[in-house]
Amino acid sequence: LQAFRIESPIKLDGILDEGAWAKAPHISNFTQRELVENAPATEKTEVAVGYNGKELYIGIWCFDSRPDQIVAQKMKWDFDYGTDDNFEIVIDTYGDKRNAYFFAVNANASQADSLIVDNGRKTNSDWNGVWYAAATRTDKGWFAEVKIPFSTLKFSASAAQTWGINFERNIRHKREQVRWQGWSRDSSLQHVSRAGSLEGLRDLARMG
């Protein structure tokens, strides 16, 4: 996945109507892990990643042919994302295929996060990063924008960065789980080694 350099501001409202989202490369090749392993997703999901010098932006399009069936009950921070429709993100900033940041958002823009250690063998749910999310629901599904300041993340000092990244969507009314990479049932999203690549990041602001 190629990250897109954003030159104009993104309003974090979950509407995704900025020109940057139209120009940024989108991925939509999600595959079922549940219910039918290796089958195509039954609902369209799209993701795009943008950035400027200070922040990473993730645009999320969760189309749904039955938007009235979207499950969005949780409202609080570190919500129980195991019961709501949600979109989950794993970011391996060092590209070591072992450790990563985990972020989840639902259609209410509720947020949850944690640290993944040793390719998913351990998870630190006590970690709370500074990041932001907004979401909207329409007759076409639900949509979200996520903003993660680079000051929240640790990464190398290289001018050009390649990070590991993966995405998962859970569609509760269909009991369907789709993933971008590593969708076999013997793999969890926390298996950082199964993630894909995010390329094109350059000249990012680091802390320390």
Side-chain angles (χ1 to χ4, degrees):
L1 172 60
Q2 195 74 19
F4 180 78
R5 184 86 185 195
I6 296 171
E7 304 296 344
S8 54
I10 296 284
K11 183 180 180 182
L12 204 74
D13 54 12
I15 298 177
L16 299 120
D17 57 351
E18 290 85 1
W21 291 128
K23 295 175 184 176
H26 289 215
I27 56 167
S28 57
N29 53 325
F30 283 74
T31 303
Q32 285 192 54
R33 184 174 180 269
E34 297 285 355
L35 285 166
V36 185
E37 184 182 14
N38 206 38
T42 65
E43 303 287 357
K44 187 175 184 179
T45 306
E46 293 187 9
V47 186
V49 176
Y51 75 103
N52 55 31
K54 295 182 178 180
E55 297 144 342
L56 188 76
Y57 289 86
I58 301 171
I60 302 160
W61 292 259
C62 294
F63 295 96
D64 200 313
S65 57
R66 291 294 307 275
D68 58 310
Q69 298 293 309
I70 293 169
V71 180
Q73 298 172 341
K74 304 298 190 297
M75 300 287 290
K76 66 179 183 178
W77 182 270
D78 277 340
F79 73 103
D80 179 6
Y81 52 88
T83 57
D84 276 1
D85 277 57
N86 70 62
F87 191 86
E88 303 174 21
I89 304 159
V90 164
I91 303 177
D92 168 15
T93 53
Y94 283 101
D96 62 11
K97 299 186 181 297
R98 296 181 62 81
N99 306 298
Y101 299 89
F102 170 86
F103 305 93
V105 62
N106 71 2
N108 296 329
S110 297
Q111 299 169 239
D113 56 18
S114 62
L115 295 177
I116 299 168
V117 182
D118 197 15
N119 201 32
R121 290 180 178 86
K122 297 179 182 178
T123 300
N124 179 4
S125 299
D126 292 332
W127 180 78
N128 287 312
V130 176
W131 60 289
Y132 310 92
T136 56
R137 292 173 64 174
T138 74
D139 60 358
K140 292 182 170 57
W142 70 277
F143 308 90
E145 290 171 308
V146 169
K147 179 174 74 172
I148 307 170
F150 289 125
S151 58
T152 295
L153 310 174
K154 295 181 179 179
F155 48 90
S156 78
S158 301
Q161 304 269 334
T162 297
W163 293 357
I165 199 164
N166 207 359
F167 309 104
E168 177 181 294
R169 178 185 176 188
N170 289 282
I171 308 169
R172 297 301 176 196
H173 66 92
K174 290 188 167 186
R175 293 186 294 152
E176 184 171 324
Q177 183 181 80
V178 300
R179 199 174 290 163
W180 182 46
Q181 301 292 330
W183 56 81
S184 60
R185 286 185 181 156
D186 65 353
S187 177
S188 77
L189 188 66
Q190 282 72 21
H191 287 157
V192 184
S193 59
R194 302 284 186 94
S197 294
L198 177 66
E199 301 178 348
L201 298 169
R202 293 191 63 87
D203 304 322
L204 310 182
R206 295 174 73 241
M207 294 295 290

